[in-house]
Amino acid sequence: MNVLGIDIGGSALKGAPVDIRTGELLAERCRIATPDPLSPAKMARAVAELARQFHWRGPIGIGFPGVIHGPRILTAANLHKGFIGCNGEKLFAGATGCPVALINDAAAAGLAEMKFGAGRDFAGKTLLLTLGTGVGSALFYRGVLFPCELGHLPLKGRDAEKYVAASVKEKKDLSWAKWGTRLGRYIGVLESILWPELIIIGGGVSAEHRKFFKYLKPRARLVPARFLNGAGIAGAALWAAERGPRKA
Ligand code: BGC
């Protein structure tokens, strides 16, 4: 079965049809930039536009950067505040005319990495972090997903993601050493309470892991995501296939 996977991010939405037996993207991914925070109605139009690009009529899995309970979006730290409390599955299903399954973006990336990527066949305690506009997180134990919001752990008096996200490195023009040391400190705090055996780092910046992994020095085994930035798309599609999307 093929599913259209869509990853909604702070600066763009990206999507492609995914072969859910392998996690591979079946076409070049389509990217729609969202330089200004889009209202839910405008985002729904952008999602429909992306589906149209692929002439899509089947199930859609969507990763969203916020807390998701069932079909609902409960938080939107880096997106339009109009999403808070909104029934995201209904919104996107209505706009596309296709059945939609919604999942947190980092949880989606984790599903793809644990099934086909850097955590494949690993049943021990795993922490996945995505470093982008914000910091996404997901935990796995014996292959079971626990979505969480470790990017909002207080660090130096503010949300950790305001200190260690890849967007902060860019905005503040931090060197790899400076940003890597910050990230290392944050990961140290997470390790002291979670004790993961494996840490997977995703998000666009994971393509450059050689430049900053040396500053992290975790106790756990540390690896870049295999899908790098594509994990969110593949995982959102997997979620739709696994859970079954609600009808439009
Ligand atoms: C959100 C998370 C999301 C992460 C990465 C955070 O600000 O609260 O839900 O996974 O950003 O996009």
Side-chain angles (χ1 to χ4, degrees):
M1 180 167 94
N2 299 338
V3 175
L4 179 63
I6 297 181
D7 186 15
I8 295 181
S11 54
L13 61 153
K14 295 164 241 160
V18 177
D19 178 346
I20 54 125
R21 285 164 314 171
T22 60
E24 297 306 330
L25 306 193
L26 294 167
E28 177 102 19
R29 58 182 195 169
C30 166
R31 182 179 192 278
I32 300 180
T34 54
D36 303 314
L38 297 188
S39 66
K42 284 191 179 150
M43 184 68 85
R45 278 202 286 280
V47 165
E49 171 57 30
L50 201 152
R52 232 185 338 265
Q53 300 266 325
F54 293 106
H55 309 287
W56 198 258
R57 299 304 321 144
I60 304 180
I62 301 182
F64 184 91
V67 174
I68 307 296
H69 283 184
R72 275 189 193 282
I73 297 168
L74 300 196
T75 70
N78 297 301
L79 287 192
H80 195 286
K81 298 300 172 236
F83 281 108
I84 298 171
C86 142
N87 184 325
E89 288 190 354
K90 204 166 158 199
L91 174 75
F92 297 127
T96 57
C98 299
V100 168
L102 196 62
I103 183 172
N104 170 265
D105 57 351
L111 284 182
E113 289 298 330
M114 296 311 283
K115 186 138 193 208
F116 301 114
R120 189 178 179 150
D121 296 332
F122 186 67
K125 278 207 274 183
T126 305
L127 165 66
L128 172 121
L129 293 175
T130 61
L131 307 172
T133 308
V135 173
S137 55
L139 292 167
F140 289 84
Y141 182 54
R142 297 183 163 255
V144 176
L145 163 67
F146 188 93
C148 49
E149 290 285 331
L150 300 174
H152 298 283
L153 192 82
L155 193 70
K156 299 225 163 208
R158 56 211 304 217
D159 280 15
E161 70 176 15
K162 301 278 181 248
Y163 188 64
V164 299
S167 60
V168 175
K169 177 186 184 303
E170 204 172 299
K171 221 180 294 158
K172 302 239 153 103
D173 197 20
L174 302 178
S175 66
W176 289 106
K178 173 121 200 191
W179 179 69
T181 308
R182 279 184 180 195
L183 190 59
R185 225 173 279 149
Y186 169 60
I187 288 178
V189 173
L190 297 182
E191 283 205 293
S192 68
I193 45 179
L194 298 170
W195 284 79
E197 298 162 71
L198 174 67
I199 299 177
I200 303 173
I201 303 287
V205 76
S206 60
E208 302 194 77
H209 63 274
R210 282 194 185 80
K211 297 186 182 148
F212 65 93
F213 269 22
K214 55 187 168 214
Y215 302 110
L216 305 187
K217 303 188 178 67
R219 188 186 294 116
R221 189 155 66 85
L222 179 73
V223 292
R226 178 169 91 77
F227 288 92
L228 299 174
N229 215 10
I233 296 174
L238 284 180
W239 174 244
E242 198 175 285
R243 196 218 61 186
R246 287 184 216 334
K247 295 275 170 279

